[in-house]
Structures are given as C-alpha cells and as structure tokens.
Amino acid sequence: MASMQEIKRRIKSVEATRKITKAMELVATSKLRKSRNQLEQLKPFYSNIQQIVAQILSGKRNVYDSKYLVANNVEKSAVIVIASSLGLCGGYNSNIFKLAKQTIKQTDLVYPIGTKASNFARKNYGDVNDEYAGLNTSIDYIQLTRLVSSLIRMYEKGEIGAIKILYTEFVNNITFVPHEITLLPVDPSDFDDVEVTNKDTLFEPNADEVLGKLIEMYLQASVYGYLVESITSENASRRTSMETATDNADELKENLLLKYNQARQTQITNEISEIVAGANAQ
Amino acid sequence: MIKFKLRIVTPRGIYKEIDIDQLNVKTTDGHIGILANHIPLASCLDIAQMNFLIDGKRERFALHGGFVYVADEMTKIITNAIESEDEIDIERANAAYTRAKERLKETKDQYEIQRAEIALKRAITRMNLKNHN
C-alpha cells in the first residue's frame, strides 16, 4: 500500500487539476453563451437575405443560367475548414479532420481557420492559404468579407469550380455534427422552402446585377453563420469535456481520500498493537 | 403624411425598426426617394449617406453599401455596416482616408486598387456626414 505521504501528494495534485478544469468549464460556459447570442443576432440578417434571393429566383426564371448557379466544370475547389485554436475540447477537432480526410482532394485549395486546422492542412495538403487562420478568435466580419470576396473573384475567373466549407453543426449542448456544405455554385432548390410574398418585384438596375451582389452578401452571411456556429460547438464541446474531467477528478479524490483514511487507520492500529506488545513484554 | 415601416438589418442584429415618412438612399444607379406605398423594389445600394424623415425631422447615416428591399408590409435595408452621426469616429475616418490615399499611390494591383477605392469612399462618406453641420 502506498504511503500516507504519497497519497496526500496525489490528492493535492488532483485538487489542483480539478481547479483548472472547473475554471475552464466556467470560461467555456460564458463563451458559449456569448457565441449563442451572436448566432441569434445574425439570424434576421441571414433570413432577410435568403428571402430576397428566393424572391429573385422565383420571379425571374432567366437568371437560372447565372454563373453563380451553374457549375463551371473546373475540377479544383476551395475548401474552408473551421477548427479550434486550443485543445481540450473533446472530439471537436478530430471529428472535423476525419470528415476533411474523406472529402478534401489533394488538388484542392485549403483555407484553414483556427491554428489546429492550419497545422492539419499544412501536414496533409499542398495548397494551403492560412492568411485567415485567426478568424476564429477575432470573429471579424470585415476580414471575413475579404476572404469570401477573394474566393468569389477566383470562382468568377474560373480558377476554382466550387467553394465548400467544413463546419460543425450545433444541434444542442452535447451533440455536434460535422458537415460539408457547397457554397458556390448555389443550389436554387435550397430556397424552395422560403416563403415568397411579392412575385412582381422591380429590380434596379436589373435582376442579374442585384443577384450578383446579393449572392456575395449571402455567402458572407452564410460563412459568418457557419463560423459562429462552429465556435459555439467548440465551446459547448469544451464545456462538456471539462465537466466530465471535473467529475472524474471528484471521483478520484474521493477514492484517494478513502485510501488515505485506510492507510491512516492501519498505521494507528499498528502503533496500538506495538504499544500493547511493548506493555505486555514488560 | 402616410408613414411606412423601415427595418435596418446588420450582421449584429436589427439596427433600427421605425415608422418613417420618407427614405432617401443612393442606389448604384443614383439617388432615389421612397415614400409609403411604393411598388415592390429591390436594389443595390452604394457606399453613401442615407437619410430618412420623421415628421419633418431628418436623420442621417453613413451606409456601407448593401441592399434596399421595398415590400408592401415593410421596407428593409440590409447592410454590413451603418453608422449614425454620433457613432462616427472622425479620427479613425481621417486615418483611413490618408491610408487609402497612400495605398492608391503605391499599388498597381487591380484588386488592391479596388479595395483602396472602397475604403476611400467609406472614409469620405463618414467625413462628409460628420462635417455637414
């Protein structure tokens, strides 16, 4: 049996670790609340843009040959991969990387967001641009619009055939599902469910130009939404795993305390029997 | 005058939702004024000032591009950023102005020029709005 001193030292170390995991849990909880609010705030912006895109698509059939809706037959795609910058968040990163390994081709251009994603991309793919790797900590909308606009320019020039994004959907506080979404070309059937009220809307200067500009804003809002949702998943995942770690620490401490008391009891019994033996000998 | 509902939406949530008499915006084709019962319209907005009238009082804003969407029930402005006169940081606008000017002088890259021009336009819009009083 381990000595009392040794057990005591272990209890102290478990207590210290528990304090850290508990603190991380609290931090993740408050960050989770913040990113959920952000997601909430974005909703009206996103749904309004979606509504107008649906409006244009429903009213004017002739925009269906718009370059944003028809694939341009270029093999190469640009893929945005959203992961975290810090570890200790359960399976959040490994789940998204597992999906990435299945879906991203060697020829694709990878845009990692988060330092973990950037390390992953550099190790596995040749064509990596990590200019925007810090977006998951800054959550800067202006910087994000720059990323999306530059991708759209590349698509327009025919350098890439599609823009895809790998993100983690936030289902609820304990369920997160990684997904791959194709942002461009836009699939018009995505808008079939959106309710359209005014079918004969006037477009100025014309529907094509409005659609072009609108698609850009729509993609910016989508990518921002996916980014915020991934961050929400990350924080929720970290919160859950830190909660488990704290619970484990509690359990461990309880077991160690039991052992410590047992060791103490054994020592006392030994001492008593020694004293009794000594007294008897006299 | 008949009032109509205006809602301004940004990525940070709904910026404003009020009943107004008249809305003046600059589309990519030029300035337009919108009154109540306008026909449904969707148009791209330029980086420019916009303003609206409530009971003869005018409120001005710096708008960083976006969309206006006029429908029967509501007029919506969807934009990445909007600032009222009070919200504008004039020192930042001045700094952005000089920075954009310098970049325009130095760079030859078409895309960089475009970006600098947009930044310049934003700065000028802000400065004009702040200085008009």
Side-chain angles (χ1 to χ4, degrees):
Chain A
M1 188 177 260
S3 76
M4 275 170 69
Q5 196 126 51
E6 212 172 294
I7 299 174
K8 213 168 186 179
R9 208 180 305 132
R10 275 208 69 190
I11 292 179
K12 267 204 177 136
S13 115
V14 169
E15 271 175 349
T17 312
R18 187 194 175 277
K19 268 183 197 154
I20 297 171
T21 55
K22 184 80 192 167
M24 285 178 80
E25 183 194 329
L26 292 176
V27 171
T29 311
S30 87
K31 277 190 178 167
L32 173 64
R33 197 173 310 129
K34 204 174 130 199
S35 49
R36 282 187 82 162
N37 274 345
Q38 244 167 341
L39 204 58
E40 227 27 66
Q41 282 173 341
L42 181 73
K43 253 182 200 151
F45 184 74
Y46 182 77
S47 59
N48 276 315
I49 294 180
Q50 204 181 28
Q51 217 171 19
I52 306 179
V53 174
Q55 198 100 39
I56 296 177
L57 294 180
S58 73
K60 296 261 183 177
R61 292 287 147 187
N62 59 348
V63 295
Y64 268 72
D65 52 3
S66 157
K67 60 187 174 226
Y68 299 110
L69 303 177
V70 183
N72 62 3
N73 291 326
V74 179
E75 194 65 34
K76 190 181 174 117
S77 344
V79 190
I80 303 171
V81 181
I82 306 173
S84 75
S85 289
L86 300 166
L88 294 177
C89 45
Y92 173 74
N93 284 320
S94 54
N95 284 342
I96 203 87
F97 295 155
K98 216 186 288 167
L99 180 69
K101 277 193 180 138
Q102 288 163 11
T103 52
I104 304 178
K105 289 190 237 71
Q106 277 304 323
T107 48
D108 289 347
L109 173 58
V110 184
Y111 280 82
I113 294 178
T115 41
K116 295 268 176 200
S118 151
N119 291 342
F120 168 80
R122 277 174 178 280
K123 212 161 74 188
N124 293 290
Y125 302 99
D127 211 351
V128 177
N129 182 341
D130 55 7
E131 202 182 321
Y132 300 97
L135 259 179
N136 66 327
T137 41
S138 64
I139 324 182
D140 179 7
Y141 197 80
I142 302 294
Q143 205 190 355
L144 185 130
T145 58
R146 239 173 257 155
L147 163 67
V148 176
S149 303
S150 69
L151 286 176
I152 294 177
R153 293 295 99 74
M154 284 167 76
Y155 179 84
E156 282 169 351
K157 279 189 219 156
E159 288 168 16
I160 48 173
I163 302 174
K164 293 175 188 165
I165 187 163
L166 295 184
Y167 84 107
T168 309
E169 188 195 351
F170 177 80
V171 183
N172 57 43
N173 271 331
I174 45 167
T175 321
F176 329 102
V177 189
H179 283 297
E180 185 199 34
I181 304 277
T182 303
L183 295 171
L184 256 186
V186 174
D187 183 1
S189 62
D190 287 352
F191 298 96
D192 284 352
D193 308 335
V194 183
E195 208 177 301
V196 177
T197 42
N198 302 300
K199 296 236 170 195
D200 42 345
T201 305
L202 186 70
F203 295 102
E204 257 180 52
N206 54 57
D208 254 349
E209 200 162 313
V210 174
L211 185 70
K213 188 86 201 306
L214 200 57
I215 292 272
E216 192 163 335
M217 277 182 87
Y218 171 67
L219 292 183
Q220 287 166 357
S222 309
V223 175
Y224 185 75
Y226 291 137
L227 177 67
V228 176
E229 191 164 350
S230 295
I231 293 169
T232 311
S233 301
E234 179 195 332
N235 287 326
S237 176
R238 175 166 297 124
R239 198 193 70 91
T240 320
S241 58
M242 285 303 114
E243 197 181 284
T244 323
T246 310
D247 288 350
N248 285 343
D250 279 338
E251 202 180 309
L252 203 57
K253 194 185 142 192
E254 216 167 282
N255 286 340
L256 285 171
L257 212 59
L258 202 67
K259 265 192 192 165
Y260 176 78
N261 287 339
Q262 266 171 0
R264 195 175 61 110
Q265 195 58 57
T266 317
Q267 202 185 346
I268 292 168
T269 315
N270 275 346
E271 272 171 22
I272 290 174
S273 61
E274 269 166 29
I275 292 167
V276 171
N280 281 347
Q282 272 177 356
Chain B
M1 267 176 97
I2 312 167
K3 283 193 166 43
F4 62 102
K5 227 182 216 358
L6 172 73
R7 180 190 278 175
I8 303 170
V9 197
T10 73
R12 291 196 176 75
I14 294 172
Y15 177 79
K16 237 182 184 59
E17 191 171 326
I18 36 169
D19 291 317
I20 59 168
D21 293 321
Q22 187 186 347
L23 171 70
N24 298 309
V25 287
K26 190 181 175 202
T27 70
T28 42
D29 272 4
H31 290 277
I32 57 167
I34 293 163
L35 299 173
N37 299 325
H38 196 283
I39 60 160
L41 164 87
S43 181
C44 309
L45 294 177
D46 206 356
I47 299 167
Q49 276 188 40
M50 63 147 266
N51 61 67
F52 53 71
L53 285 167
I54 306 174
D55 302 324
K57 253 180 68 189
R58 196 181 293 272
E59 280 188 51
R60 292 182 166 81
F61 298 89
L63 190 70
H64 295 188
F67 274 88
V68 63
Y69 179 60
V70 185
D72 295 339
E73 68 285 355
M74 188 183 281
T75 296
K76 287 172 191 158
I77 289 179
I78 298 167
T79 179
N80 284 348
I82 181 166
E83 282 158 338
S84 70
E85 270 179 77
D86 301 332
E87 285 163 345
I88 291 173
D89 183 346
I90 191 72
E91 272 159 35
R92 238 185 91 191
N94 282 332
Y97 179 81
T98 25
R99 209 166 45 232
K101 276 271 184 192
E102 269 166 28
R103 227 174 32 212
L104 272 180
K105 247 184 259 164
E106 283 161 15
T107 185
K108 291 254 168 347
D109 180 47
Q110 204 57 44
Y111 180 58
E112 278 294 314
I113 290 175
Q114 224 174 21
R115 255 173 63 179
E117 273 172 352
I118 290 172
L120 192 66
K121 223 168 168 181
R122 279 186 183 161
I124 292 173
T125 308
R126 285 195 179 116
M127 284 153 74
N128 280 346
L129 183 64
K130 201 73 179 173
N131 295 335
H132 98 102
N133 294 336

